[in-house]
Amino acid sequence: MKQRFSALDVRAMVTALRQRVVGLRLQGIYDVNAKTFLFKFTKPECKQLVLVESGIRLHTTEYTRDKSVVPSGFCMKLRKHLRARRLTAVRQVGMDRVVDFEFAVAAGPQAEGSYHIICEFYASGNIILTDHEYRILALVRVVHLEDESFAVGKTYALKESRDIEPVDRDQLMQCLRAAGPKDTLKRTLATLGAYGPSLAEHVILRAQLGPSKRVSQALDLDNEHSPQIDALIAAYAEAFDIVKRLGQEICPGYITCQPGSDSSDQLFDEFGPWLFDQYRQKPYKESPSFADAADVFFSNIEAQKLKVRAHQQEQAAERKLDAIKAEHEGRVVALEQARHKTEEQARRIEMNLEFVDQAITIIRQAVAAGMDWEELGELVRDQQDQGNPVAERITRLNLAANQITLTLDCPADSQSEAGSDSDDDDHAIGRGPLSVDVDIFESAFANAQRYYTSRRQAGIKHAKTLAVSSQALQSAEQKIKTDLRATRITSAVTQQRKPLWFEKFSWFISSDGYLVLAGHDMHQNELLVKRYLRA
């Protein structure tokens, strides 16, 4: 998809702007964003809006856009120097993608009090305000290069750029012979002169050649007068005439659409000031002027981007709500699992009361005897190697917390495996060995009671969580919707309605269907009588 102006587009747009805005006064300057500015030119009964995006585009527009509430410093600088000044000239610098807006005083553009706006549409672009001597007063971005710099106080050097010239046979042959072995015709000829890639592809098609073919395969470079070379020379002569016409008269604009897109919602692909041969192969739309075509193209792209951003914002809100729901569900499941595990640990202790008391007594006596903790750990490992059934069930000593961890079996495990394979998932935790932490200074029964107490507390917490879960989810959903409404992208690109001739007066339509007009002041009353009142 084409996304920025070429030198040929700039040439056609400058021709359109000369007719539409030269002679009008700059009434207002607004910044749409950091790189896009809207200039409002007016005269009695005429208004033109010019949109300039640094490095990208320049065109008049009939669409409304949201503007920044607080103007930027650069915008304030433009208002200070240019408001209410008359635009006296618009010109392209040679065939470069540079446009010079001239606001000259009556004494001429070289007199003090004249200003220029330089708009660059190559690389990252720039918008520069200068005085009559092209001394920079303000600019969108400061640029420092090896041989020159663009900053406030510096002089903007308008480089000498030649206008486009016809392509002769020597230039064409030199360009083609400089191509690499894998270079295509389109890639090679796009750099010839200032014709650009679109016009170069048009030239190739007019010469009945393939743009994607390699130069070495498509042409006989040893014969300068081959039919293919002659066809290219003739096509370049036609291209030169096209460029001249674009610089002298307003031509229609064309927008190509992507093949296969729905007619009700077509996806734009490219735009141009001429119906090139490559455009004829695709569905396209024609506009009365290239300025209108560029306006429709970029405004449509802006509207699509805004819709995508709004949709992404809604999706982010939905993901946030889903994450909150998943968090609540995970919390409920974790509490339920903790309650079942605590209950099973208490049940295991009850099923192994004698064994747990033996383990507690052995460890408690060893600690009471003053045995070192490390020696006690080695003793337990030795007894495990000797097959002591009590030591084998001790998996960890946490004597700093007066606890030991025992691996306890369920005596009913063997019976369950034989005859109850269809148990619920809730009792899955009751199968197989289970690690249980017991306090060595409490009996086995007291440890079981402690786990039952923890189970009751977990059950109460689980019930409370379930009770408030629905209310919490509703509150979270309401808050997310409120935040979405507060930050929703409401900006839109809409086409302006052209006011009817009588809307500048006070008016209404009577019950009989008559249009009734009245002036706001004496001047409008006189205008009504002289221009519209019939005897």
Side-chain angles (χ1 to χ4, degrees), residues 192-495:
L192 179 59
Y195 288 85
S198 297
L199 194 52
E201 185 176 0
H202 172 77
V203 167
I204 296 170
L205 292 175
R206 293 293 293 175
Q208 298 183 353
L209 298 173
S212 59
K213 287 187 177 181
R214 295 180 181 178
V215 176
S216 56
Q217 297 175 351
L219 302 173
D220 182 11
L221 300 181
D222 295 332
N223 184 6
E224 295 185 3
H225 298 279
S226 65
Q228 293 88 353
I229 300 298
D230 292 340
L232 284 175
I233 292 297
Y236 264 112
E238 294 181 9
F240 179 73
D241 293 336
I242 292 174
V243 176
K244 286 299 183 181
R245 284 190 60 186
L246 292 177
Q248 295 171 357
E249 60 185 64
I250 295 179
C251 297
Y254 299 90
I255 300 175
T256 62
C257 305
Q258 295 182 4
S261 58
D262 188 6
S263 58
S264 60
D265 188 16
Q266 290 182 328
L267 298 178
F268 293 162
D269 188 19
E270 292 190 26
F271 62 95
W274 195 269
L275 187 59
F276 300 124
D277 276 17
Q278 62 267 27
Y279 291 170
R280 300 179 187 273
Q281 310 301 324
K282 304 177 182 179
Y284 65 87
K285 294 181 178 181
E286 182 177 350
S287 299
S289 169
F290 175 62
D292 299 330
D295 184 27
V296 172
F297 181 89
F298 282 104
S299 299
N300 183 276
I301 299 299
E302 284 183 68
Q304 290 178 358
K305 288 181 179 179
L306 288 174
K307 288 181 181 179
V308 170
R309 287 177 56 194
H311 182 63
Q312 290 176 345
Q313 195 178 49
E314 293 176 358
Q315 286 184 328
E318 291 177 359
R319 288 195 298 268
K320 186 176 181 180
L321 182 60
D322 292 340
I324 293 176
K325 289 181 179 179
E327 182 184 357
H328 278 277
E329 292 175 358
R331 192 179 303 163
V332 171
V333 171
L335 289 173
E336 181 70 16
Q337 292 177 348
R339 185 173 68 86
H340 283 300
K341 183 177 180 180
T342 305
E343 181 181 3
E344 182 62 24
Q345 287 175 327
R347 194 171 68 87
R348 290 293 178 93
I349 293 176
E350 288 181 338
M351 291 180 177
N352 298 273
L353 284 175
E354 184 178 353
F355 172 77
V356 173
D357 280 331
Q358 290 179 3
I360 289 175
T361 300
I362 293 173
I363 300 300
R364 186 191 300 169
Q365 290 177 352
V367 172
M371 181 176 291
D372 186 74
W373 291 356
E374 294 183 0
E375 294 179 358
L376 180 57
E378 293 178 358
L379 177 62
V380 171
R381 287 191 289 272
D382 292 341
Q383 292 297 318
Q384 289 174 346
D385 294 338
Q386 296 177 11
N388 189 317
V390 177
E392 286 179 347
R393 296 303 179 92
I394 300 175
T395 57
R396 189 169 66 91
L397 298 177
N398 187 14
L399 299 178
N402 297 326
Q403 289 182 348
I404 60 174
T405 302
L406 303 177
T407 301
L408 303 180
D409 291 329
C410 179
D413 277 350
S414 58
Q415 300 177 2
S416 300
E417 293 175 0
S420 56
D421 293 337
S422 61
D423 289 345
D424 296 333
D425 293 338
D426 293 342
H427 299 90
I429 195 172
R431 299 172 184 160
L434 180 65
S435 297
V436 181
D437 293 333
V438 297
D439 193 326
I440 62 175
F441 290 106
E442 292 183 358
S443 63
F445 185 77
N447 276 284
Q449 291 300 317
R450 179 167 57 85
Y451 276 106
Y452 276 123
T453 302
S454 298
R455 180 254 182 191
R456 284 193 296 272
Q457 293 175 351
I460 293 172
K461 191 173 182 180
H462 177 262
K464 289 182 178 179
T465 302
L466 285 177
V468 302
S469 177
S470 177
Q471 183 179 358
L473 286 176
Q474 290 179 357
S475 300
E477 185 175 1
Q478 186 65 30
K479 184 178 183 302
I480 290 174
K481 289 182 178 179
T482 303
D483 294 342
L484 181 61
R485 284 194 298 268
T487 60
R488 186 185 297 274
I489 298 174
T490 57
S491 58
V493 179
T494 56
Q495 190 169 10

Side-chain angles (χ1 to χ4, degrees), residues 88-138:
T88 55
V90 180
R91 66 186 183 93
Q92 181 184 15
V93 180
M95 273 300 288
D96 290 339
R97 286 175 286 175
V98 180
V99 178
D100 182 4
F101 290 86
E102 180 185 277
F103 299 84
V105 295
Q110 304 299 327
E112 186 176 355
S114 298
Y115 295 95
H116 298 265
I117 296 180
I118 310 296
C119 300
E120 299 177 344
F121 299 100
Y122 56 87
S124 297
N126 212 342
I127 303 176
I128 304 171
L129 172 66
T130 71
D131 60 9
H132 63 289
E133 296 178 342
Y134 287 96
R135 185 178 296 106
I136 298 176
L137 304 177

